[in-house]
Amino acid sequence: MYAPAGASTWQTALPSQNGFKAVPAIGAGAALLASIVASFIPRQRTAEAGVEEPAGVEEPGADGPGVAESVVVSAPVVAVEGGGAGVPVRGRGLGAERVPVGGAAVTLISLGGKQLGRSVSRADGAYGVAAPAAGSYVLIASSEGCRPQAATIVVAGEPVAYDVLLSGAGGLAGVVRSADGGTPVAEAVVIVTDVRGDVLATGRTDVLGEFTVTDLVPGPVTLAVSSPKHRPLAQVVEVGGAGTARVELELRPGAQVRGTVRGGGAPLGDARVTLVDAAGNVVATTLTGVDGAYAFSDLDTGAYTVTRPATRPRRRR
């Protein structure tokens, strides 16, 4: 286009989104120059929204501002909080009684162990990651005070909704004392088993008789404690969904049976002595020493029978 003689302004056609647009020119072609310059300015990406938009341009000079338009282009992907582009996997982290768990770390990994996305649940328990394509993945969730959880999820072409149940990790702590005087029992063996009898944890008491067992599944467990010179003790303890249950245990000192076996008025060594309880069960068996002495310890209180063979025992070699 050209300007007619005597004209102070002229017009040119500039491309726009929907065809051509007439832009009034001020200052002998300033708008055309601004449009050309704007086409070379790099675009800024808005990662949160998943779109691109050009930077705004102002026309310098006293003749007035130039004309610039913002073009919004929808990205052909799905952006998910905490993950990259792909198929959304969303859900909530839930604790006991389906209470939302905030601050839980949720990680999506491939079956080969590669991390693909990570998210932290909000106060309402909501999280979001993204699978890069259809397939099977492993979703891992962990939170302080809860047992970590892992699950295999199958992703197709549609968004996946999956709620993660986070159960609390309970524990046991307590002190073991002797029933005669209440003194702490050090180095007592502490064993925790589940309802099936499988051992979940073992430990020992310290010099103060205290012990701590962590990372236990909520529910009833059997706590067994044994110590030399004391009778073993076992009782059922309920482990809560969160926090540590505390117990106090008392071990009864074991009773002792001592004696001497004599034959013909002299101590009889190497004689086999058997201890039988009131129900007829053999509790223990031992051999006498050279002085004919024997001893049984760590016994429950009650009535016992001590027996020995009628024949003369063999001599030790």
Side-chain angles (χ1 to χ4, degrees), residues 68 102 118 125 146 195 243 264 293:
R118 184 179 182 276
C146 298
V195 293

Side-chain angles (χ1 to χ4, degrees), residues 76-103:
V77 295
V78 179
V80 179
E81 177 188 358
V87 183
V89 178
R90 296 188 178 96
R92 292 196 302 162
L94 302 175
E97 299 181 358
R98 301 188 66 84
V99 175
V101 177

Side-chain angles (χ1 to χ4, degrees), residues 105-124:
V106 181
T107 306
L108 185 72
I109 64 174
S110 66
L111 296 182
K114 181 180 179 181
Q115 178 175 322
L116 304 174
R118 184 179 182 276
S119 176
V120 177
S121 63
R122 299 193 297 264
D124 60 353

Side-chain angles (χ1 to χ4, degrees), residues 57 82 129 134 137 177 203 207 251 253 255 265 273 277 281 310:
V57 180
V129 292
Y137 301 91
R177 296 187 176 93
V207 294
L251 299 183
V273 182
D277 64 13
N281 300 310

Side-chain angles (χ1 to χ4, degrees), residues 36-46 52-57 71:
I36 296 175
V37 172
S39 65
F40 290 95
I41 296 177
R43 293 180 173 180
Q44 298 175 341
R45 174 175 293 274
T46 304
E52 293 184 354
E53 57 182 347
V57 180
V71 180

Side-chain angles (χ1 to χ4, degrees), residues 100-297:
V101 177
V106 181
T107 306
L108 185 72
I109 64 174
S110 66
L111 296 182
K114 181 180 179 181
Q115 178 175 322
L116 304 174
R118 184 179 182 276
S119 176
V120 177
S121 63
R122 299 193 297 264
D124 60 353
Y127 75 88
V129 292
S136 297
Y137 301 91
V138 177
L139 192 70
I140 301 175
S142 61
S143 179
E144 184 177 358
C146 298
R147 295 180 63 86
Q149 300 292 329
T152 301
I153 62 173
V154 178
V155 177
E158 299 294 330
V160 177
Y162 189 88
D163 290 343
V164 180
L165 299 180
L166 295 167
S167 60
L172 279 176
V175 60
V176 180
R177 296 187 176 93
S178 178
D180 60 340
T183 57
V185 179
E187 292 298 317
V189 178
V190 179
I191 302 175
V192 181
T193 62
D194 60 15
V195 293
R196 297 183 302 272
D198 296 328
V199 176
L200 302 177
T202 61
R204 288 181 179 271
T205 58
D206 58 19
V207 294
L208 299 178
E210 297 182 347
F211 68 91
T212 302
V213 182
T214 59
D215 295 333
L216 297 178
V217 178
V221 297
T222 299
L223 177 63
V225 182
S226 63
S227 173
K229 299 183 180 179
H230 292 84
R231 299 302 301 148
L233 173 68
Q235 68 180 50
V236 177
V237 179
E238 186 72 22
V239 177
T244 301
R246 187 167 182 83
V247 294
E248 295 186 2
L249 305 174
E250 286 190 346
L251 299 183
R252 292 179 299 165
Q256 294 184 346
V257 174
R258 295 177 179 272
T260 302
V261 177
R262 296 179 179 273
L268 188 60
D270 203 27
R272 182 177 298 276
V273 182
T274 303
L275 189 68
V276 181
D277 64 13
N281 300 310
V282 175
V283 176
T285 301
T286 189
L287 295 176
T288 59
V290 292
D291 57 354
Y294 66 90
F296 297 101
S297 59

